[in-house]
Amino acid sequence: KAFSSVIGFIKRFFLKKWIRRTFIVFVSFCLLVGVAALSMNLYVIKSVDENILSVEDASKLENVDCVIVLGCGINANGTPSDMLRDRLNFAIEIYKNGGAPKLLMSGDHGTKEYDEVNTMKQVAIDEGVPSSDIFMDHAGFSTYESLYRAKEIFKTDKLIIVTQKYHLYRALYIAKKLGIEAYGVSSDYHTYRGQENREVREILARCKDFVGTIFKPKPTYLGETIPVSGDGNITND
């Protein structure tokens, strides 16, 4: 009986010790991941913060190839979401102020039924922008792919990115790592529904693209070059 008690004590001791060690390792790992994530986010933000300009200052830049509008969803009736509409309004204003000679609408047109880019182009046309000055990137399936294709397919070396501020840091960082001289304009007219969730997801997205821009994977599609110095109607479908 005494021997069994000793064995039981030893088992409980080592079990508790194993549990304590496992818990300490788990907490340490979580803290390490948290610190790494926060560090990457802070680095992404601080490294491009000075490249965020007002509409007025962006419009004074010289030798800009285009203003790129990053797609972010359309409604079931084919109209742009509030966030996308605001991005378009800012981009069109920069274009009309002479900030860039072309607009590049980059978004998801992966299926016939879902078409961000034609919706974006139509809004610009309705606002008086000539169709020839509007290019569409039908395969801008992510921020990284949009900017990769902006450089490799549309041959942009200097551009203005228009998107909401929480997203703008990552877009500018990606552009910088891809060798594009990029400036950003924040298109926040107001607070958007679900913004808290987007802010949390953006932390993870910055970490993902921080790592991704080290390896620079190719996007889903590439193809023949379509320089934005030409006629945007060539991208019509």
Side-chain angles (χ1 to χ4, degrees):
K1 187 175 181 179
F3 179 74
S4 297
S5 298
V6 172
I7 295 299
F9 172 78
I10 293 172
K11 286 182 177 179
R12 289 193 299 273
F13 175 79
F14 280 105
L15 179 61
K16 289 180 180 179
K17 191 173 183 180
W18 180 83
I19 291 173
R20 285 198 301 271
R21 284 184 174 178
T22 302
F23 178 74
I24 291 171
V25 170
F26 175 74
V27 171
S28 300
F29 176 76
C30 290
L31 288 173
L32 182 62
V33 170
V35 169
L38 291 175
S39 298
M40 283 187 278
N41 271 265
L42 184 61
Y43 179 76
V44 167
I45 291 170
K46 292 300 182 181
S47 66
V48 297
D49 189 52
E50 64 181 13
N51 284 39
I52 297 178
L53 308 175
S54 65
V55 169
E56 292 74 20
D57 288 339
S59 299
K60 296 175 184 176
L61 293 170
E62 297 181 351
N63 302 317
V64 175
D65 297 316
C66 68
V67 179
I68 183 171
V69 185
L70 302 173
C72 63
I74 56 175
N75 300 315
N77 61 1
T79 58
S81 63
D82 289 343
M83 292 181 71
L84 183 55
R85 180 72 214 209
D86 289 349
R87 294 180 189 185
L88 291 165
N89 287 344
F90 271 85
I92 293 167
E93 183 178 358
I94 295 167
Y95 166 86
K96 289 185 175 181
N97 286 347
K102 307 287 182 177
L103 295 174
L104 174 56
M105 308 301 190
S106 184
D108 187 347
H109 189 190
T111 65
K112 183 178 180 181
E113 294 73 25
Y114 188 78
D115 182 356
E116 291 181 349
V117 291
N118 274 288
T119 294
M120 295 159 73
K121 177 164 185 171
Q122 190 58 52
V123 169
I125 290 174
D126 292 343
E127 293 294 329
V129 181
S131 177
S132 58
D133 286 348
I134 308 169
F135 286 75
M136 292 185 290
D137 179 4
H138 300 266
F141 301 130
S142 69
T143 306
Y144 175 82
E145 292 189 277
S146 290
L147 291 164
Y148 194 111
R149 286 174 54 81
K151 181 174 178 60
E152 298 300 328
I153 300 299
F154 296 94
K155 296 300 177 182
T156 60
D157 295 313
K158 183 176 182 180
L159 53 73
I160 299 170
I161 302 171
V162 177
T163 184
Q164 278 70 31
K165 192 169 186 178
Y166 82 97
H167 180 217
L168 192 54
Y169 296 111
R170 178 162 59 97
L172 286 169
Y173 181 80
I174 292 170
K176 179 180 179 181
K177 290 301 178 180
L178 293 176
I180 303 170
E181 183 181 351
Y183 300 87
V185 172
S186 171
S187 59
D188 296 273
Y189 274 125
H190 48 74
T191 301
Y192 305 92
R193 182 183 301 176
Q195 186 59 31
E196 295 81 5
N197 293 332
R198 279 189 287 272
E199 295 281 359
V200 172
R201 290 198 303 270
E202 188 63 16
I203 292 173
L204 300 176
R206 289 185 194 129
C207 293
K208 174 181 70 69
D209 284 327
F210 177 90
V211 175
T213 52
I214 295 173
F215 300 100
K216 297 181 177 61
K218 291 183 178 180
T220 306
Y221 298 108
L222 280 174
E224 297 182 1
T225 59
I226 311 170
V228 289
S229 56
D231 187 335
N233 286 317
I234 195 174
T235 61
N236 292 350
D237 56 355

